[in-house]
Amino acid sequence: MEIRFYNSLTRSDDLFQPIDGHTVKMYSCGPTVYDFAHIGNFRSFLAADLVRRFLEAVGYEVWHVMNITDVGHMTDDSSADGAGEDKMEAAAKRLKEDKKSGKAPEGCVADPDNPYEIAAYYRDAFLEDGRKLGMKVAFEYPQRVHCATKFIPQMIKLIEKLIERGHAYVGRDGVVYYDVKSFPDYGRLSGNTLDKLENLQEGAGGRIDASNQANKRNPADFMLWKADSTHVMKWDSPWGAGYPGWHIECSAMAMEALGPEIDIHTGGEDLIFPHHECEIAQSRGGSGCGSFARFWLHTRFLMVEGTKMSKSKGNFFTVRDVLGGKATGTEVHPAALRYELIRTQFGAQCNFTMKGLVDSANSVRKLSEFAERVEAEAGAKVVEVGLDHPVLKQFFAALANNLNISEALGVVHTWISTPVEDPAEAVAVLRKIDSVLGVVELTKSAGSGDDDEITVLCQAIHEARQRRDFPTADLHRKQLESRGYEVRSTAEGTVAKRKMA
RNA sequence: GGCGUCGUAGCCAAGUGGCUAAGGCAGUGGAUUGCAAAUCCACCAUACGUGGGUUCAACUCCCACCGACGCCUCCA
């Protein structure tokens, strides 16, 4: 199978082959844990999840590593470059207020002034959200989700190596900087090449402070280590106790966990510059390799109802918001949210809408009911299917074409509405498909959630219909519907299922 | 101001110079149903952001413009 992915580095659909032929080494930039992850974050993480699931389904072994930034970075590259508030400090403030007003969950963070506690709290929340949404790296390989604070020695080692190899230097202010001039390929990914960065000072905001620039050789040089004894999160280093720059953690982690050269690197489109640009410079500068990640897969941002997601517009949703019903007014099944977030190709802007969520819920329901049906019909019969099965062939061919999920879903929808000849074969095909989509498995793990009252009402509807007492049947149906259930009556009986969105 | 991505129906999307512009979702009509839901059948872009140009021929190539999005400061 010929697999092609759009590669940001070459700006073309490149033929994919793992470097060693069988094991795909994949790294994803994960979240910074100072708040709950929002649906935009997860759109990106689930895109990576889809890539890894697809590659596994077609036979590759995938080592997928994700980082969690649990360091409270100062927002500035060095103090003079910016005036923003540290995200961790902002989180502390917010948590304190939430605690005072009783909005914070019971015992969520004992000491809001402790950044380690804040980070741990949101890290756990992120992993929980990830598990709910079927993110494989979260529920199957948590040992491959690494926190930046666990890689400080590796970062220091890499910085030392960069200095040794002439890619980094200690500035007049004692801060360790990367010397971008020492890396001619700087700018290849983003287009912000060295000749263009010469004019950095002329930038729109004029944000580069001259006094700060005096400490560096080049305005574009970025920080690797900053000594700061006042910083709460600080570690000893050859350059004084302090904290690492923002970009170094990913280079150190990818190198340690996957080696100097990896197959795929994913992240949001916002990370292209400076983060990924700097990451390439650090990794290649440290390893001396001619390449770091072969493929750069960037996910485009998610919009909500056609506009940017922002707190001020009131259309900013965390995963928890959506699942809890804050977006739609009704609780949303994680499978429906997963489907909604993966249904648009990762490189295209996706539009999150309430209608789309309902559509997604419908699709998931269709799929899970199809699964139930063929599983029941198949009974104990088990059939093996290969990727040469006509349905799977089409499904995977679509995905092999830059993960064209629209076409792949089209294949699935068409297939499940054609008569099933061999239920056991259908079970096997669906399992394979869902090993990528990961939505049917989520509907199964959640359990039915039916209580006795629902069963009683369904029985009452059935009996009322049998004696042709339709007003009573309709009344009960309305009761169930108002409680968020979909009701379906046939001659054999009435069943109610919780709506998924 | 600089760098980058992108504009095909309500939504996603195929299409990379040439038959009447794939497919899925949604929608509409019908069958079915006490009514619904589900299911099944049928229908659903003379048109590819706009305006030029190249060509026998353009959604596909070139130019300009318009618009959307991301980055240049932490950010999926």
Side-chain angles (χ1 to χ4, degrees), chain A residues 1-216:
Chain A
M1 184 184 300
E2 197 179 279
I3 297 170
R4 287 186 179 276
F5 292 130
Y6 179 80
N7 186 356
S8 309
L9 188 63
T10 58
R11 301 195 174 96
S12 60
D13 291 332
D14 294 345
L15 190 65
F16 178 78
Q17 272 287 332
I19 295 165
D20 71 6
H22 48 85
T23 307
V24 179
K25 287 168 186 128
M26 179 168 165
Y27 183 92
S28 295
C29 282
T32 307
V33 282
Y34 46 69
D35 204 346
F36 296 118
H38 56 71
I39 53 177
N41 294 331
F42 263 95
R43 138 96 159 145
S44 173
F45 305 146
L46 291 179
D49 183 63
L50 206 62
V51 170
R52 78 88 51 88
R53 281 168 176 264
F54 162 66
L55 290 170
E56 285 178 335
V58 298
Y60 291 114
E61 188 180 342
V62 180
W63 294 359
H64 185 200
V65 168
M66 182 179 271
N67 79 304
I68 289 181
T69 302
D70 58 347
V71 180
H73 290 301
M74 301 306 287
T75 47
D76 47 2
D77 187 31
S78 59
S79 59
D81 275 4
E85 187 181 20
D86 178 57
K87 296 285 190 187
M88 212 59 95
E89 280 170 30
K93 214 157 103 188
R94 194 181 56 238
L95 281 166
K96 277 184 208 164
E97 278 162 16
D98 284 357
K99 282 196 151 204
K100 221 180 271 173
S101 65
K103 248 170 51 190
E106 202 59 36
C108 79
V109 175
D111 175 14
D113 284 321
N114 182 342
Y116 290 96
E117 269 188 50
I118 295 173
Y121 174 65
Y122 288 117
R123 177 201 65 215
D124 291 346
F126 163 71
L127 289 171
E128 194 189 319
D129 290 346
R131 283 191 294 269
K132 271 191 193 156
L133 293 177
M135 191 172 82
K136 229 171 162 182
V137 76
F139 71 81
E140 224 175 278
Y141 302 93
Q143 73 276 16
R144 286 192 182 146
V145 180
H146 298 295
C147 285
T149 51
K150 297 279 189 290
F151 279 73
I152 302 292
Q154 286 87 344
M155 293 188 220
I156 289 173
K157 221 173 98 192
L158 179 56
I159 296 169
E160 282 176 327
K161 189 134 204 175
L162 287 169
I163 293 174
E164 191 186 302
R165 296 174 65 100
H167 288 295
Y169 62 93
V170 178
R172 282 176 209 156
D173 50 359
V175 172
V176 185
Y177 293 104
Y178 190 98
D179 180 2
V180 292
K181 281 254 167 85
S182 74
F183 187 70
D185 263 0
Y186 192 84
R188 196 177 139 206
L189 178 69
S190 65
N192 292 314
T193 46
L194 288 172
D195 50 321
K196 283 159 187 153
L197 287 169
E198 294 281 324
N199 307 316
L200 207 61
Q201 294 99 313
E202 305 336 307
R207 295 182 181 103
I208 306 300
D209 185 291
S211 66
N212 173 49
Q213 290 317 310
N215 299 316
K216 309 195 224 173

